[in-house]
Amino acid sequence: MIFEGTKKSIFFGLGLTRAGTGTPDIANLMAIADLFQISVDELLSNEKSEKKQSNYIYESRTEYDIDGKKNFDIKLGGAYAVDLKAYHGEKIEVAMFSNVYKNLLADYKVKIDDIKNRIDIDLNRFNEASEADAKESLVITIFIPVKYIGKIELSVNARTLNITDIENEHIEVNGKISEVTLQGNKSEIEIDSNLDMQISVLSHEGAIEINQLSATSRLTIPADYRFRSTKKGIATHIYYERQGKKVDDFSDAEADNYIELNGIKSELVIVEAEV
């Protein structure tokens, strides 16, 4: 990545526009593109600016062009961490990172199938690479173009899952996940996991539905986050915590956002983050 920020700041800051016109100076654009070993199209596009370079030793990237709204069925198996992000571009990109796997390109292959109105993304392991190994050191980031996002189903067993800037009708997450972070999403998000989870809501518009069996999870929200809450199922309980102490229900029955606990013999503690 050569820059972050707007294209306008690049054009004027690096002298890439003709004086007084605001239009690109092609000669300078070509020189800068050659210097950073990228195409002129990439220099002019937001696509690269929204994909951060990694600090990992080994990495593998798979890209696929998309030209219309799609639903996504994503099956990853095991991983240490997964980031699911929306960005302003035209391609799906699945990036894998590790500081351990010298043979990352050979041991893990991404398969992308375009089936009518659905995209299937599957991660396959080879050469005796195990799910246990993947859970220790494999990091996966999936970029999906903002304008093409339909419903999303994600299956993964991971320590951490981050979902960022997704605006769609529904996201369903299945698997064994310990930590979930939600930021900038506008969606109905359903999380099915029987592990005790730590869910951090940095910002979110819509529903958060948690389905669990014999688990106790904590969901942290901003101090100004308005939500209504409900519990369903058998022997489920929702508790509330503020400043480290259990308190009375501080949900708002009139709020648009809602948090739902569903399942059997499960508890959810909704925690108001300290300012």
Side-chain angles (χ1 to χ4, degrees), residues 138-156:
L138 183 64
V139 176
I140 304 171
T141 299
I142 301 175
F143 296 96
I144 302 179
V146 169
K147 59 185 177 180
Y148 298 142
I149 298 177
K151 297 179 182 179
I152 297 174
E153 292 186 21
L154 170 64
S155 297
V156 65

Side-chain angles (χ1 to χ4, degrees), residues 76-90:
L76 301 179
Y80 178 81
V82 174
D83 291 338
L84 179 64
K85 301 181 178 182
Y87 84 109
H88 294 280
E90 300 291 332

Side-chain angles (χ1 to χ4, degrees), residues 53-66:
Q53 286 184 331
S54 75
N55 294 318
Y56 293 90
I57 299 173
Y58 310 107
E59 68 177 75
S60 170
R61 295 178 184 268
T62 302
E63 294 185 341
Y64 182 81
D65 285 306
I66 185 171

Side-chain angles (χ1 to χ4, degrees), residues 11-188:
F11 292 157
F12 287 95
L14 297 180
L16 300 186
T17 57
R18 294 194 180 107
T21 68
T23 59
D25 186 315
I26 298 302
N28 282 347
L29 284 172
M30 292 179 66
I32 295 296
D34 182 64
L35 174 64
F36 291 105
Q37 297 184 331
I38 63 173
S39 70
V40 172
D41 286 343
E42 290 172 349
L43 183 60
L44 291 172
S45 173
N46 280 332
E47 191 163 332
K48 289 294 180 181
S49 68
E50 298 189 33
K51 299 177 182 179
K52 294 181 180 179
Q53 286 184 331
S54 75
N55 294 318
Y56 293 90
I57 299 173
Y58 310 107
E59 68 177 75
S60 170
R61 295 178 184 268
T62 302
E63 294 185 341
Y64 182 81
D65 285 306
I66 185 171
D67 59 3
K69 187 174 181 179
K70 301 279 187 175
N71 296 325
F72 293 86
D73 187 358
I74 305 169
K75 295 182 175 66
L76 301 179
Y80 178 81
V82 174
D83 291 338
L84 179 64
K85 301 181 178 182
Y87 84 109
H88 294 280
E90 300 291 332
K91 300 177 181 179
I92 301 165
E93 180 177 306
V94 181
M96 295 184 291
F97 309 100
S98 179
N99 286 325
V100 175
Y101 289 114
K102 294 181 181 179
N103 298 319
L104 182 62
L105 290 170
D107 292 348
Y108 295 89
K109 299 291 185 182
V110 174
K111 181 182 179 183
I112 300 177
D113 290 324
D114 193 342
I115 307 170
K116 293 185 178 179
N117 297 322
R118 189 181 85 238
I119 297 286
D120 289 348
I121 301 175
D122 295 294
L123 178 59
N124 300 308
R125 300 190 304 272
F126 297 92
N127 303 319
E128 299 185 354
S130 69
E131 181 160 327
D133 292 337
K135 288 180 181 178
E136 290 293 324
S137 58
L138 183 64
V139 176
I140 304 171
T141 299
I142 301 175
F143 296 96
I144 302 179
V146 169
K147 59 185 177 180
Y148 298 142
I149 298 177
K151 297 179 182 179
I152 297 174
E153 292 186 21
L154 170 64
S155 297
V156 65
N157 299 322
R159 178 175 176 179
T160 64
L161 169 65
N162 301 316
I163 303 177
T164 307
D165 295 336
I166 303 292
E167 186 172 346
N168 70 350
E169 182 180 345
H170 188 79
I171 302 170
E172 182 177 353
V173 178
N174 297 286
K176 297 178 180 179
I177 305 161
S178 299
E179 300 176 12
V180 179
T181 300
L182 306 177
Q183 182 172 14
N185 304 293
K186 296 181 180 180
S187 179
E188 178 183 280

